[in-house]
Amino acid sequence: MPSKRRNNGRSKHGRGHTSFIRCSNCGRATPKDKAVKRFNVRNIVDVSSQRDIKEASVYATYSLPKLYIKQMYCISCAIHARIVRVRSSEQR
């Protein structure tokens, strides 16, 4: 049977088994090397609230910490949420 992708959709070269992770969106168990991983860095509060906190703060140079989230998606959720797009066979 012909293979659709050269790496079969995984980055598991030479490893027999990889651990499973849970999709951040739907909870599906997906191999760690097949999951679509995105690192999301956001402010803890939005800009308007940040301004209010800065005005009410005693410290002049206080900066709020950021929120660091590593999100891992299964292929289905990554395509549905447009995190990755379907490419044509020439681009693959």
Side-chain angles (χ1 to χ4, degrees):
M1 190 169 183
S3 176
K4 194 170 182 183
R5 287 170 190 84
R6 192 172 141 200
N7 63 356
N8 296 317
R10 301 182 68 166
S11 62
K12 184 186 71 80
H13 304 290
R15 275 179 232 105
H17 180 77
T18 56
S19 58
F20 280 81
I21 57 103
R22 291 292 181 159
C23 174
S24 299
N25 192 34
C26 68
R28 171 187 269 171
T30 309
K32 189 177 180 182
D33 60 316
K34 188 172 190 169
V36 177
K37 294 170 270 300
R38 293 292 179 264
F39 200 73
N40 198 350
V41 181
R42 291 192 316 221
N43 290 320
I44 289 181
V45 293
D46 60 300
V47 180
S48 60
S49 301
Q50 202 170 4
R51 196 179 319 111
D52 294 340
I53 291 169
K54 195 169 271 190
E55 288 171 2
S57 177
V58 178
Y59 304 107
T61 59
Y62 180 72
S63 61
L64 284 169
K66 292 190 179 293
L67 196 63
Y68 298 95
I69 305 168
K70 185 170 187 183
Q71 293 181 316
M72 300 192 210
Y73 298 98
C74 64
I75 300 296
S76 303
C77 289
I79 291 171
H80 183 72
R82 297 193 185 108
I83 296 162
V84 290
R85 300 280 169 105
V86 178
R87 294 181 294 167
S88 66
S89 56
E90 292 88 38
Q91 288 179 322
R92 278 186 234 140

